[in-house]
């Protein structure tokens, strides 16, 4: 039986002390667009949260808390769409992650993605420039 092996471009990033990881699909041309869409969706939800908090200001803490939980849970779903099913749970635990913790995570992950993208581009340039010289 024949077998092939190749680098599929996925980068595993360990995200907690339990050894859990997320995958950054660097060979997936749709990944940058999905990052942008995640950012847009999250920003829309944060804006919605701010507006609803003003509306519900006099409704009591229970209504505000319920609405916050719903919105942060939706952002967690977007997170899973970006990094894979179960990623939100792995990264943040069994919570509806607030804006601060989500931003902190993204501030740490974006430089890694940029580094991986640059490394991948260099590898591609080296690989194909050798072929063109033959």
């Amino acid at each position: 039986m024949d077998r092939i092996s190749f680098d599929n471009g996925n980068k595993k990033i360990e995200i907690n002390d339990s050894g859990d990881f997320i995958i950054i699909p660097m060979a997936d041309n749709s990944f940058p667009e999905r990052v942008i869409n995640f950012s847009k969706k999250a920003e829309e939800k944060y804006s919605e949260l701010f507006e609803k908090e003003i509306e519900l200001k006099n409704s009591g803490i229970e209504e505000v808390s319920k609405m916050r939980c719903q919105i942060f849970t939706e952002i967690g779903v977007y997170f899973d769409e970006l990094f894979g099913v179960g990623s939100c749970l792995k990264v943040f635990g069994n919570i509806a992650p607030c804006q601060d913790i989500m931003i902190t995570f993204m501030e740490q992950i974006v430089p890694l993605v940029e580094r991986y993208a640059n490394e991948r581009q260099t590898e591609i340039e080296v690989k194909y420039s050798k072929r063109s010289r033959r």
Side-chain angles (χ1 to χ4, degrees):
M1 171 179 15
D2 293 329
R3 181 173 187 216
I4 63 171
S5 176
F6 65 99
D7 179 2
N8 64 5
N10 288 344
K11 298 292 185 181
K12 288 183 176 181
I13 299 177
E14 190 171 340
I15 45 86
N16 60 32
D17 292 335
S18 299
D20 289 327
F21 61 89
I22 59 172
I23 293 181
I24 306 295
M26 296 308 299
D28 180 354
N29 287 320
S30 73
F31 185 71
E33 183 178 348
R34 290 188 298 128
V35 170
I36 291 167
N37 287 339
F38 169 78
S39 297
K40 286 179 182 177
K41 288 178 181 178
E43 186 58 40
E44 287 171 8
K45 286 296 176 182
Y46 293 136
S47 293
E48 180 183 336
L49 173 64
F50 180 72
E51 290 172 16
K52 286 187 175 183
E53 282 182 333
I54 292 171
E55 288 174 25
L56 295 173
K57 187 176 183 179
N58 298 323
S59 299
I61 190 76
E62 187 176 319
E63 284 299 313
V64 172
S65 179
K66 185 176 171 182
M67 181 265 312
R68 289 178 66 81
C69 187
Q70 177 186 346
I71 286 177
F72 289 129
T73 299
E74 289 176 34
I75 293 169
V77 170
Y78 302 149
F79 189 89
D80 279 358
E81 289 173 359
L82 181 59
F83 293 110
V85 176
S87 295
C88 190
L89 179 63
K90 286 186 214 175
V91 173
F92 304 110
N94 192 19
I95 64 169
C98 68
Q99 183 176 9
D100 180 55
I101 195 169
M102 186 69 70
I103 289 170
T104 299
F105 174 81
M106 293 305 286
E107 287 173 343
Q108 292 181 39
I109 201 78
V110 167
L112 289 176
V113 171
E114 289 172 345
R115 187 180 90 210
Y116 295 151
N118 290 335
E119 288 171 359
R120 183 157 178 77
Q121 184 61 36
T122 300
E123 289 169 6
I124 289 170
E125 288 171 1
V126 167
K127 179 179 179 180
Y128 290 105
S129 68
K130 286 180 184 177
R131 288 184 180 174
S132 65
R133 288 188 220 148
R134 290 182 189 176

